[in-house]
């Protein structure tokens, strides 16, 4: 499992870990019942605190992405693809709403914002 930590990012490290594991699950790189590295192993690999990895794993379990079996490890949970897709859609919707609000605060018209969006979509 490949995880890259950006220390200069404003996103907390545990969230970076969560986001990358979620992305791997959604993309099919990690499948149901695949075992994740142990907390200590991943912490050592990434050169970060085991508590940071534990927080990421705990949150992933809380959100239903993983299941932890005491003494055996953390596994990818049975996937609910529709739920995962809906969560991703909600995140994108929030980001787009924030972008629209920022554009309006900067004095852009809705039409100018639409034009920018279409320009970006062309790339």
């Amino acid at each position: 499992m490949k995880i890259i930590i950006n220390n200069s990012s404003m996103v907390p490290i545990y969230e970076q870990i969560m986001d990358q594991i979620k992305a791997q699950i959604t993309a099919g790189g990690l499948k149901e019942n695949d075992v994740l590295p142990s907390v200590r192993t991943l912490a050592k690999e990434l050169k970060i605190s085991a508590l940071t990895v534990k927080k990421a794993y705990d949150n992933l379990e809380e959100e239903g992405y993983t299941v932890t079996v005491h003494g055996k490890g953390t596994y990818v949970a049975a996937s609910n693809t529709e739920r995962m897709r809906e969560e991703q859609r909600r995140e994108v919707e929030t980001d787009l709403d924030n972008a629209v609000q920022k554009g309006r605060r900067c004095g852009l018209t809705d039409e100018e914002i639409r034009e920018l969006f279409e320009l970006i979509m062309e790339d």
Side-chain angles (χ1 to χ4, degrees):
M1 182 171 73
K2 183 168 177 141
I3 293 181
I4 299 169
I5 299 300
N6 180 353
N7 290 315
S8 62
S9 172
M10 296 301 290
V11 177
I13 292 173
Y14 79 93
E15 283 184 21
Q16 292 180 47
I17 294 169
M18 288 177 57
D19 291 344
Q20 290 179 52
I21 291 174
K22 285 180 190 178
Q24 290 181 41
I25 292 170
T26 304
L30 287 172
K31 299 189 181 344
E32 181 179 339
N33 295 324
D34 282 354
V35 67
L36 299 182
S38 72
V39 169
R40 287 187 186 138
T41 300
L42 188 57
K44 187 175 179 183
E45 228 175 79
L46 298 175
K47 298 181 173 111
I48 60 173
S49 166
L51 292 174
T52 302
V53 175
K54 174 119 176 62
K55 184 172 185 177
Y57 278 18
D58 287 348
N59 287 345
L60 286 167
E61 184 166 14
E62 193 175 295
E63 292 179 18
Y65 285 91
T66 62
V67 175
T68 301
V69 179
H70 187 69
K72 296 211 177 201
T74 301
Y75 298 85
V76 176
S79 65
N80 181 342
T81 310
E82 191 173 313
R83 185 185 60 75
M84 283 193 265
R85 189 82 175 136
E86 182 57 34
E87 182 179 321
Q88 289 173 327
R89 181 182 167 95
R90 203 171 31 250
E91 286 177 21
V92 170
E93 190 176 311
T94 299
D95 291 345
L96 287 172
D97 185 54
N98 290 338
V100 168
Q101 297 308 319
K102 184 174 185 175
R104 287 177 177 157
R105 282 192 307 273
C106 292
L108 297 176
T109 66
D110 286 356
E111 187 56 37
E112 289 171 318
I113 294 170
R114 278 189 198 90
E115 287 172 12
L116 281 172
F117 182 73
E118 287 180 20
L119 262 172
I120 292 168
M121 289 298 295
E122 287 176 9
D123 290 344

